[in-house]
């Protein structure tokens, strides 16, 4: 069994960077950094994050990252 941890690392204008790690017991066995971009579904271009999204993402930010 493994534990997967995910935290918000950075909030950009139209993107969010997530830090992720997989732990087996106390040992970290994998790490990843993921960038998700908010896009407009009609234009397929980056779209700024709304204030509600920023507030929700900020609540998930990990202080030590």
């Amino acid at each position: 069994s493994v534990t997967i941890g995910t935290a918000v690392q950075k909030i950009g204008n139209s993107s969010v960077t997530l830090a992720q790690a997989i732990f087996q017991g106390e040992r970290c066995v994998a790490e990843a950094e993921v960038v998700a971009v908010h896009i407009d579904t009609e234009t397929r271009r980056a779209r700024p994050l709304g204030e509600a999204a920023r507030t929700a993402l900020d609540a998930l930010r990990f202080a030590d990252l």
Side-chain angles (χ1 to χ4, degrees):
S1 104
V2 298
T3 301
I4 301 170
T6 302
V8 172
Q9 187 173 21
K10 177 183 173 188
I11 302 170
N13 185 46
S14 61
S15 65
V16 59
T17 303
L18 304 173
Q20 298 180 300
I22 298 175
F23 296 90
Q24 194 168 36
E26 295 293 318
R27 188 173 70 126
C28 180
V29 295
E31 293 181 13
E33 183 177 279
V34 178
V35 178
V37 179
H38 185 230
I39 64 166
D40 184 302
T41 56
E42 290 181 20
T43 66
R44 305 291 293 168
R45 294 188 183 268
R47 179 176 164 185
L49 294 166
E51 197 56 42
R54 288 180 170 286
T55 300
L57 290 166
D58 195 50
L60 300 173
R61 191 184 301 239
F62 190 70
D64 291 344
L65 292 178

